[in-house]
Amino acid sequence: MVKARPCQLLHTFLLALVLLKVDGLFVNITYLQSAVAKGAVCLDGSPPAYHMDKGFGTGINNWLVHIEGGGWCNNVTTCLARKNNHLGSSKLMSKLVAFSGILNNKASYNPDFYNWNKIKVRYCDGASFTGDVDAVNPATNLHFRGHRIFLAVIAELLAKGMKNAKNAILSGCSAGGLTSILHCDTFRALVPMSAKVKCLADAGYFINAKDISGAPHIETFYDDIVRTHGSAKHLPTSCTSRGKPGLCFFPQYTVQQIRTPIFLVNAAYDSWQIKNILVPGVADPHGTWQKCKLNINNCSPAQLRSMQEYRLQFLHAVPPVGSSTSRGMFLNSCYSHCQTELQETWLMYKSPMLYNKTIAKAVGDWYFDRSPFQKIDCPYPCDKTCHNSIFDPAEQPIV
């Protein structure tokens, strides 16, 4: 076990105090009981849930729907494990959640979206809200109903006022970021056509790459997810018509066909992807990558070369710069995962910057058409604004 230095512990403690003060808004949970009758339930059959902070002032008719992240389950065994925690059961979810970053309600920390209606949709289906299987095996009592949950939550929000939306954003982090990509056009179709609607995917651009052993680990994993959850019928037909449905979990095969404007926030050295796509545990049985995966500054020259090659694969998989002004990109070279929910990385003193813009400024300028933003960072270690040691609880490992 690697021991933290005293200065690191002091920094972590002081950062926690600062963020506690910033994240002063705690929002209560709302259980969507009416969804149960529609079969729109979590893995364990419990009702879906969300947290909502109502908009005020000029933001009363503006809506930000943010999808929680948390990995996926790819078979009965892994889904049964999730059924016993907050990622598979609303019974086990925390009742209060701190809203920070893009969900913050203070203008100084979130100037463009602070007074919007802000909703955090809890993630409890294990397949980025794509699953839809009617049958429930009584032996496991597993419900694969993510797509129904998504529709039920949006219907609830429309009834609560989103039917009058003037502006709306579907966003998400990690598996929630993938949700915002896969459901972007669906969200656009459900929200009033008079509204200005765009999507934001944070750390949701997972790429189809082989691991260090040369095995297609993540591709096989996604195939299993789609098969287990019956996701194929709710994935973009523009993708499923061209190949096997499992590939449609990779945004590189779907994002170019999305009609709704979308912004991608992603680290080119996404820490979850490095740990689970490039170097999953099965590809590193002796743990030689363990220290490197914990902190990029601990990587050997050979490991860094592998990570630099992965970055090039990532950049090759994203849409080309300038392909459309409706596409936005903030692709930095930090070793992190999910940067819009954390106040320190969204907008705060010494937040990560790209071409002298924070993520908050880049996203806000793009959404309100003040200026387009499609920027890609230089390779590690040139960016000195990164927070490479941040631990993100949304980083759920895969098997």
Side-chain angles (χ1 to χ4, degrees), residues 9-24:
L9 293 174
L10 178 61
H11 174 266
T12 301
F13 175 71
L14 292 175
L15 176 60
L17 290 178
V18 171
L19 295 182
L20 181 62
K21 183 177 180 180
V22 172
D23 298 345

Side-chain angles (χ1 to χ4, degrees), residues 203 206 266-275 334-338:
F206 304 94
N266 228 103
Y269 308 88
D270 184 284
S271 56
W272 190 94
Q273 295 195 41
I274 297 299
K275 296 171 186 176
C334 302
Y335 186 62
S336 60
H337 183 69
C338 290

Side-chain angles (χ1 to χ4, degrees), residues 100-258:
S100 65
I102 196 172
L103 298 173
N104 202 305
N105 70 340
K106 297 180 179 67
S108 56
Y109 293 113
N110 189 23
D112 285 310
F113 312 111
Y114 73 99
N115 62 353
W116 286 32
N117 295 281
K118 297 179 294 296
I119 298 91
K120 183 168 186 174
V121 182
R122 300 304 296 267
Y123 179 41
C124 65
D125 74 288
S128 289
F129 295 92
T130 62
D132 192 0
V133 177
D134 279 321
V136 177
N137 187 333
T140 62
N141 195 38
L142 283 171
H143 298 71
F144 302 112
R145 307 282 180 76
H147 184 71
R148 298 187 197 184
I149 292 176
F150 181 81
L151 295 180
V153 170
I154 298 303
E156 166 94 343
L157 297 178
L158 288 169
K160 285 193 168 185
M162 196 164 69
K163 65 179 181 295
N164 301 315
K166 292 182 179 178
N167 294 285
I169 294 175
L170 177 66
S171 69
C173 147
S174 191
L178 179 60
T179 301
S180 68
I181 293 172
L182 296 177
H183 290 295
C184 184
D185 284 340
T186 300
F187 181 72
R188 163 66 277 185
L190 294 171
V191 174
M193 289 308 298
S194 59
K196 179 176 186 173
V197 178
K198 297 186 179 184
C199 302
L200 168 63
D202 177 12
Y205 207 96
F206 304 94
I207 68 167
N208 188 9
K210 291 182 170 60
D211 64 30
I212 54 172
S213 73
H217 182 77
I218 190 66
E219 182 177 328
T220 301
F221 184 75
Y222 279 172
D223 286 341
D224 292 342
I225 294 170
V226 171
R227 187 181 308 109
T228 298
H229 291 261
S231 300
K233 57 190 171 184
H234 296 303
L235 293 170
T237 55
S238 60
C239 175
T240 56
S241 62
R242 300 196 313 268
K244 63 177 183 177
L247 290 176
C248 302
F249 254 52
F250 295 107
Q252 66 200 82
Y253 305 120
T254 62
V255 76
Q256 291 284 50
Q257 284 72 48
I258 294 174

